[in-house]
Amino acid sequence: MSNQPDPELVKIVSGHVLLGQLEPDELARVLAFSRTERFSAGQVIFRRGEPGQSMMTVISGRIKISVSSSEGKEAVLAILGRGEVLGEMSLLDGKERSADATAMEAGEALSIHRRDFIPFLERNPAICIRMLGIMSNRLRRTSGMVEDRSFLDLPGRLAKTLIDLGKAGGTETEDGLRVETHMSQRSFGAMLGASRETINKQLKAWQDEGLVLTGRGYVVLIDPKRLARNVGLDIGI
Ligand code: CMP
């Protein structure tokens, strides 16, 4: 352990939703307690039900948070990227991991043990409030997913998810708004509560109607407004 954190690491965490807010000396203290973990694509980071003693923040790569049924069906709860936090629930309540975490591509995360982070939280009410903000945001997103699954049919859910992904990080191209789905069609289906075949069929139907173009790991929304209208979505775009 060193009190001189790696400048490269400091640069990375400076944009971090939680750690980026710390004064330099506090940040140095937290980094001294942290370790960097590397993951390969497809590696299981932890499984639901395991004891959880640490929290991680993503440095690079994407991590899938999911739960599976005994028959092997999967529901994707979130895809976390750079700067996002995972494992905070067990860290706070001392219970088991509530979901599986799997690396979707090779990446790194900064891991902090409960025994080091809890005293740090006790000294930093502003960081506790930020953490509550992160958890509130997750609850909002999860409630939104429950709402969509209850009230939208599959085309509506798929169109809404693609348009949301496009708004959050899509790229304007000559053909339209390109959305990186960054995951296999199977995982994408799991996020929407539908099989890969059903998703493929719907995308193909939209492609035939000139609403989207599909490729490996991406979908281009030729005209997001027309797509929204097609499925009866009122999304204010
Ligand atoms: P933990 O329960 O320690 O381990 C699983 C992690 O998945 C959990 O902490 C959160 O970081 C994350 N997680 C669980 N449920 C959700 C959710 N609904 N939305 C986003 N992240 C979640």
Side-chain angles (χ1 to χ4, degrees), residues 46 52 54 65 77-78 80 85-91 95-101 138 141-142:
F46 54 71
S54 62
I65 303 293
L77 300 174
L80 306 177
V85 174
L86 65 151
E88 77 292 349
M89 289 168 62
S90 306
L91 179 115
K95 294 188 181 164
E96 306 159 337
R97 295 293 188 201
S98 60
D100 301 336
R138 286 193 174 166
R141 273 175 38 196
T142 306

Side-chain angles (χ1 to χ4, degrees), residues 29-222:
R29 230 172 294 164
V30 171
L31 290 180
F33 287 128
S34 311
R35 46 193 197 104
T36 306
E37 295 191 22
R38 290 187 175 79
F39 309 112
S40 50
Q43 184 178 334
V44 174
I45 298 168
F46 54 71
R47 282 194 197 280
R48 179 186 194 177
E50 286 177 2
Q53 294 295 327
S54 62
M55 186 187 86
M56 291 170 202
T57 62
V58 183
I59 297 174
S60 62
R62 281 171 186 257
I63 294 176
K64 178 176 72 176
I65 303 293
S66 63
V67 285
S68 298
S69 71
S70 48
E71 297 87 45
K73 278 195 180 170
E74 185 190 43
V76 178
L77 300 174
I79 306 282
L80 306 177
R82 185 186 165 110
E84 291 190 281
V85 174
L86 65 151
E88 77 292 349
M89 289 168 62
S90 306
L91 179 115
L92 290 171
D93 68 11
K95 294 188 181 164
E96 306 159 337
R97 295 293 188 201
S98 60
D100 301 336
T102 313
M104 299 180 71
E105 55 220 19
E108 288 182 331
L110 203 61
S111 165
I112 305 176
H113 198 279
R114 171 164 222 277
R115 119 198 110 226
D116 300 318
F117 203 58
I118 295 286
F120 168 78
L121 285 178
E122 285 167 351
R123 291 196 305 274
N124 285 280
I127 300 295
C128 294
I129 290 171
R130 240 164 220 284
M131 211 139 164
L132 288 171
I134 293 172
M135 298 186 80
S136 304
N137 194 38
R138 286 193 174 166
L139 186 54
R140 265 178 212 281
R141 273 175 38 196
T142 306
S143 302
M145 277 165 69
V146 173
E147 187 183 343
D148 291 349
R149 288 210 189 177
S150 308
F151 304 132
L152 293 179
D153 56 9
L154 173 77
R157 295 202 301 274
L158 179 57
K160 185 163 184 270
T161 302
L162 290 170
I163 292 168
D164 285 348
L165 288 171
K167 277 194 206 163
T171 320
E172 287 293 350
T173 68
E174 274 184 5
D175 296 323
L177 185 61
R178 180 180 159 128
V179 178
E180 305 299 327
T181 47
H182 281 296
M183 55 186 118
S184 67
Q185 297 240 336
R186 187 165 177 272
S187 296
F188 197 56
M191 198 162 92
L192 292 158
S195 70
R196 185 182 53 176
E197 291 72 24
T198 313
I199 300 281
N200 277 342
K201 219 167 119 188
Q202 186 58 58
L203 288 173
K204 167 124 191 13
W206 284 342
Q207 181 148 295
D208 293 345
E209 286 177 62
L211 290 165
V212 302
L213 291 171
T214 57
R216 203 179 159 77
Y218 73 90
V219 176
V220 177
L221 311 181
I222 295 171

